[in-house]
């Protein structure tokens, strides 16, 4: 299954990205490309394949933000639904929360075996995934990352959102399975039932 996917490794130059590229190739990934510059990222994406986008923690926050924006706003194919995975070392909880807030699908901390990496990649394929769309966000369900099953309960907030449930299939691309739109009750929004103090 992985042989029909592409992996893009966003990393600083050096030995780590080359070793990680070799590990991904040995897992059977069809094509692996290392990108050390945000300007080269868009050209590495393949709109006809499932793209796994891996980030080395050392690339820094600014690189991650710019690259994730390009990924989630990509106009062709199913690229915007691509899994973005952070490869990290020794993240404390506040750092982990910050990375999840950016919109990573998964965070894998070292040390990591090839078997574990393969398992985590396979979890991104052929299983239902939900992305949320709000006024300023498109990406994975950030709440469910920390709350598990409890984070998947219906949400009734004060702002509109859309939840798209889809499946990534290396043979057929991304299939949207369900779209749920939530629009808050306008009567509650206008403040007419609010008591002034």
């Amino acid at each position: 299954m992985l042989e029909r996917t592409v992996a893009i490794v966003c990393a600083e130059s050096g030995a780590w990205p080359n070793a990680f590229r070799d590990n991904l190739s040995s897992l059977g990934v069809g094509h692996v490309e290392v990108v050390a510059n945000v300007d080269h990222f868009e050209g590495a994406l393949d709109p006809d394949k499932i793209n796994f986008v891996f980030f080395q923690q050392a690339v820094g926050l600014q690189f991650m933000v710019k690259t994730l924006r390009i990924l989630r706003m990509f106009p062709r194919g199913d690229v915007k639904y691509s899994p973005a995975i952070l490869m990290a070392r020794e993240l404390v909880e506040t750092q982990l929360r910050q990375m999840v807030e950016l919109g990573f699908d998964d965070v894998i901390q070292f040390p990591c075996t090839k078997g574990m990496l393969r398992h985590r990649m396979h979890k991104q394929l052929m299983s239902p995934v939900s992305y949320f769309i709000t006024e300023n966000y498109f990406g994975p369900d950030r709440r469910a990352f920390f709350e598990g099953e409890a984070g998947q309960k219906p949400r009734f907030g004060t702002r509109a959102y859309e939840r798209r449930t889809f499946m990534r299939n290396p043979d057929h691309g991304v299939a949207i399975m369900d779209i749920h739109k939530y629009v808050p009750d306008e009567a509650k929004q206008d403040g007419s039932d609010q008591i002034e103090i």
Side-chain angles (χ1 to χ4, degrees), residues 9-191:
V9 180
C10 299
E12 294 182 327
S13 299
W16 185 87
N18 294 328
F20 191 61
R21 180 185 59 218
D22 293 345
N23 284 326
L24 290 169
S25 294
S26 72
L27 290 176
V29 175
H31 176 73
V32 184
E33 191 160 341
V34 176
V35 174
N37 186 312
V38 175
D39 296 332
H40 298 134
F41 175 70
E42 191 170 339
L45 294 167
D46 185 339
D48 299 321
K49 304 258 188 207
I50 301 292
N51 293 263
F52 281 91
V53 183
F54 291 94
F55 291 80
Q56 179 187 24
Q57 184 179 1
V59 297
L61 197 58
Q62 189 174 19
F63 186 109
M64 292 178 198
V65 169
K66 287 180 180 179
T67 307
L68 284 169
R69 187 176 300 128
I70 292 167
L71 181 68
R72 298 300 180 216
M73 296 176 75
F74 199 78
R76 296 188 330 272
D78 297 324
V79 171
K80 64 185 175 185
Y81 296 101
S82 297
I85 301 170
L86 176 66
M87 304 304 291
R89 188 180 297 278
E90 298 176 3
L91 287 179
V92 296
E93 186 175 345
T94 54
Q95 291 172 308
L96 179 60
R97 285 193 177 275
Q98 182 183 35
M99 296 299 111
V100 171
E101 287 296 318
L102 287 178
F104 283 103
D105 291 81
D106 198 359
V107 177
I108 300 175
Q109 297 202 57
F110 289 103
C112 168
T113 65
K114 284 185 185 179
M116 178 183 163
L117 180 59
R118 180 188 298 111
H119 172 73
R120 299 285 275 271
M121 291 176 74
H122 276 276
K123 276 181 63 175
Q124 298 294 332
L125 303 172
M126 308 304 290
S127 299
V129 177
S130 290
Y131 272 15
F132 279 76
I133 304 169
T134 67
E135 189 176 298
N136 57 7
Y137 179 76
F138 174 74
D141 186 353
R142 298 176 288 190
R143 193 173 83 176
F145 192 94
F146 290 103
E147 299 175 19
E149 296 280 325
Q152 296 174 4
K153 291 179 183 171
R155 298 164 200 199
F156 305 102
T158 58
R159 288 187 249 154
Y161 70 83
E162 180 178 310
R163 184 187 68 232
R164 289 186 189 172
T165 302
F166 61 91
M167 190 177 300
R168 301 176 183 113
N169 181 323
D171 289 322
H172 305 291
V174 172
I176 305 294
M177 301 164 60
D178 182 54
I179 296 176
H180 171 79
K181 294 184 181 188
Y182 173 75
V183 179
D185 186 355
E186 289 182 20
K188 292 178 184 175
Q189 291 295 311
D190 68 9

